[in-house]
Amino acid sequence: MGVRTGFEEATEAYQLPRLIRLAPNLHAASFSLMKLVPARFILRRALADGQLEPGTVIVETTSGTFGLALAMQAAQLDRRLVLVSDPVIDERLYRRLVDLGAAVDRVPAAAATGPGGYQAARLRRLAEVRAGLPASFCPEQYTNPDNPRSYAAVAELLLESLGQVDCLVGPVGSGGSMCGTSTYLRTVLPECRAIGVDTHGSVLFGHPDGPRELRGLGMSLMPANLDHRVFDDVHWCSAAAAYAATRQLHRRHALFMGPTSGAAYLVARWWAAANPAAVTVVMLPDEGYRYLDTVYDDGWLAAAGHRDPRPPDEPAVLDSPVPDSPASEAGPWTAYGWARRSYAEVMAAGDPVPAP
Amino acid sequence: MLDHSPATTAARPGRHPTDAGVGVGSAPGHHGELLQGVFDDGAGRLRRALVTLPQPDRGSRAIFYPSQRHWGVVGTPELIKVRRAAILALREFSTHPSPAKGGQVEIISDVPRGIGMGSSTSDVTATIRAVADYHGVALSREEVGRLAVRAECAADSIMIDDRVVLFAHRDGVVLETFGHRLPPLLVVGCDTQPGVRVDTLALPPAEYDDREVGALGVLRSALRRAVATDDVALLGRVATASARINQRFLPKPGLEDLLEIGRRHGGCGIQVAHSGTVAGLVFDARQPGVEDSVRRCTDRIEELGLVPTGTVGRVPGRPGGSGTAAGLAPGTVAGRTAAARTPA
């Protein structure tokens, strides 16, 4: 083995997860900021391909951690960055983005009621911003195949460290992390199971678009980077269940993570306990600092109506991805055997689906 | 044939006392690769590289007869590589106190040619070692590798025989050392296209797409673990994945059928020659009853009309593979000679 050396830059130092054992057969892939993986890969590749000349402005639509990851890498590369976001952006995140030199362009609050909600409005605004710039580069995390591709580095780490991975569990948003990591793991381990964690009211796996309290996973628009045929199972997790599991992850394992990590942990712990012979890995995408005054504040949780500190013990397993009854009646945690089918195959096989 | 002129045999300091004015060298063959593709070289560049599966039971032996005269023209491609290797090695030692000007190389080899078992690298490596031996010089494994690559443009890593390496076969440099030895493997080899010969010089280099480049990096990481933990099952999966990626470039007919035969007998996967026609079913040599499995697999391979190429590796505590020993048994030996001379 070589001697230990330092990192060239912060984004390199922070991008890969730490692997931590949570149970005999359950390992956490705990990221500081998972979105650094695609942000760093895409921007460095654009630089190498000559798409990021010194005057080129990086533009992207995001209200979340992908923007932070881009801002960190843009600062490292000394490039300007414009982020088009929702009107309501987390104040802590906003301050970090601005301190990193990013310009944050917020769409008007009225866009919430338009078709496609904020996500569609952000895409329209992004096109306007680009039209006004002489040279711009958009990483396009929802459609750029380099997003899933960048997760080869995570699959490398998992295979080198664990050798065997029978099941990968993680939240789904753009589709990049779960599709990329599972696909690359399956180069060596074709039978590796992939379990996607979504939330009620997200269109990703067939729900009609609806209000979603749990942020950071799920979508109002279908991202091209989501390859549905990767997934063996899909789980839908409510905000309450995710928050309770987030706190449990912290209390039991001292892992201070955000609520999408909690949702993934909820599912992974259940699956690993039910399959004790299977090596299970759970993706924990970001840390808990942004949620100190919310998920980690009992007063806030109570005020938001989340009074039960215990997450549910097991999911309600559905015969169809879309519950017949409203989400509140189907339960805080539901699951469906997706069986590596395409979206169209699942929708054709299931009950009639209300138009989104 | 031999040129034992006093001018070349005299005054060679450091020569082995028993030699008769010649240099000798040998090198093993191999049975294709466990992994081949393009890999990050650590400096942000992708380089073509491979992990060879050595076959120490087969090999080439070279004898270098020094000369001051040119010995004529060599016609066949493989001997052109030997001649080039000899010339390069002679140039390398031209500042030696008493260098040979030229000479003749005799090759004795039992490595089958043109099917991806490393016959040319074996010949070339043995030749470089023979010329070095004549000059009383001990070349490092890496130096031999560098010269071999210069002689034949792309060389396998059989000269680096003390460890498992990811070898940039067109640059002659080691990208990574995985460990000191491979896990205990037993590989049942066969020629998937008997009678077909692959001209490696005419083979266009594989152009891997972005997805494949990512997958190859993953395979490299998995192989790192397989070697470090003696995990034949994982190594077999890596080799299988590499073989499948290669199906787009130099396909092995019936690859999946062969793989299935191995699976039915407890095998761990399949490895191939990425620039040849041989393939091998990978078994864990520690697995109980592995010899029976190997025998049954060999029978099945013959039933398919494929030609067995022998077994690579040994069951722990048992002697012998099915190939010939390093001494090269008579009957399987192909003698070849090539003349070499440094340009004036």
Side-chain angles (χ1 to χ4, degrees), chain B residues 175-254:
Chain B
L175 297 189
E176 178 172 353
T177 295
F178 292 113
H180 291 294
R181 58 177 173 80
L182 286 169
L185 300 168
L186 211 53
V187 177
V188 184
C190 69
D191 188 347
T192 60
Q193 290 170 285
V196 172
R197 293 289 170 268
V198 176
D199 178 1
T200 47
L201 288 176
L203 198 65
E207 295 300 335
Y208 301 95
D209 65 27
D210 288 337
R211 188 186 54 79
E212 289 164 339
V213 171
L216 287 162
V218 172
L219 296 182
R220 175 187 188 171
S221 291
L223 185 59
R224 189 177 298 141
R225 180 180 180 88
V227 174
T229 60
D230 267 353
D231 188 339
V232 177
L234 186 57
L235 181 138
R237 287 170 174 277
V238 169
T240 303
S242 185
R244 284 191 172 135
I245 289 173
N246 198 55
Q247 287 295 81
R248 202 159 74 76
F249 306 106
L250 187 63
K252 307 288 173 288

Side-chain angles (χ1 to χ4, degrees), chain B:
Chain B
M1 288 271 293
L2 306 185
D3 178 5
H4 289 301
S5 70
T8 54
T9 51
R12 278 173 309 191
R15 291 291 297 146
H16 196 276
T18 59
D19 85 83
V22 300
V24 295
S26 62
H30 64 72
H31 198 274
E33 292 75 39
L34 295 167
L35 175 62
Q36 180 165 332
V38 292
F39 302 92
D40 192 326
D41 67 356
R45 229 191 91 188
L46 287 175
R47 289 183 195 251
R48 296 181 184 278
L50 47 74
V51 180
T52 295
L53 174 63
Q55 169 51 299
D57 294 335
R58 293 183 185 271
S60 298
R61 191 177 167 84
I63 306 169
F64 173 68
Y65 302 98
S67 166
Q68 299 299 341
R69 289 188 289 134
H70 182 47
W71 278 81
V73 178
V74 180
T76 57
E78 62 267 29
L79 295 189
I80 282 176
K81 288 180 181 177
V82 163
R83 183 167 168 271
R84 209 186 291 157
I87 290 169
L88 279 170
L90 285 169
R91 272 197 205 133
E92 192 78 7
F93 306 125
S94 60
T95 56
H96 194 267
S98 54
K101 286 278 194 295
Q104 181 179 316
V105 179
E106 187 181 311
I107 299 280
I108 305 167
S109 174
D110 65 351
V111 183
R113 315 194 75 78
I115 62 173
M117 291 182 68
S119 60
S120 74
T121 300
S122 187
D123 290 353
V124 160
T125 301
T127 299
I128 293 165
R129 285 178 172 161
V131 175
D133 177 59
Y134 169 80
H135 290 91
V137 177
L139 288 176
S140 72
R141 294 173 173 89
E142 290 79 359
E143 284 170 309
V144 175
R146 190 176 47 80
L147 286 172
V149 167
R150 279 174 61 200
E152 53 171 353
C153 297
D156 311 302
S157 65
I158 44 121
M159 69 293 294
I160 300 171
D161 54 7
D162 60 339
R163 58 213 153 105
V164 184
V165 293
L166 180 64
F167 185 68
H169 52 288
R170 288 166 186 268
D171 304 305
V173 295
V174 171
L175 297 189
E176 178 172 353
T177 295
F178 292 113
H180 291 294
R181 58 177 173 80
L182 286 169
L185 300 168
L186 211 53
V187 177
V188 184
C190 69
D191 188 347
T192 60
Q193 290 170 285
V196 172
R197 293 289 170 268
V198 176
D199 178 1
T200 47
L201 288 176
L203 198 65
E207 295 300 335
Y208 301 95
D209 65 27
D210 288 337
R211 188 186 54 79
E212 289 164 339
V213 171
L216 287 162
V218 172
L219 296 182
R220 175 187 188 171
S221 291
L223 185 59
R224 189 177 298 141
R225 180 180 180 88
V227 174
T229 60
D230 267 353
D231 188 339
V232 177
L234 186 57
L235 181 138
R237 287 170 174 277
V238 169
T240 303
S242 185
R244 284 191 172 135
I245 289 173
N246 198 55
Q247 287 295 81
R248 202 159 74 76
F249 306 106
L250 187 63
K252 307 288 173 288
L255 182 84
E256 297 297 325
D257 296 340
L258 273 172
L259 187 56
E260 187 51 37
I261 291 173
R263 284 225 181 92
R264 278 206 294 273
H265 295 92
C268 303
I270 193 164
Q271 58 80 223
V272 299
H274 292 66
S275 54
T277 57
V278 296
L281 296 174
V282 179
F283 288 84
D284 189 330
R286 298 161 295 192
Q287 178 189 312
V290 69
E291 286 158 306
D292 287 342
S293 302
V294 164
R295 213 170 296 123
R296 284 199 294 271
C297 275
T298 307
D299 290 348
R300 292 286 295 115
I301 285 167
E302 284 178 327
E303 283 165 33
L304 287 175
L306 306 179
V307 177
T309 51
T311 310
V312 184
R314 281 162 180 65
V315 175
R318 303 271 176 90
S322 68
T324 52
L328 305 175
T332 59
V333 173
R336 297 186 281 273
T337 59
R341 177 175 161 274
T342 47

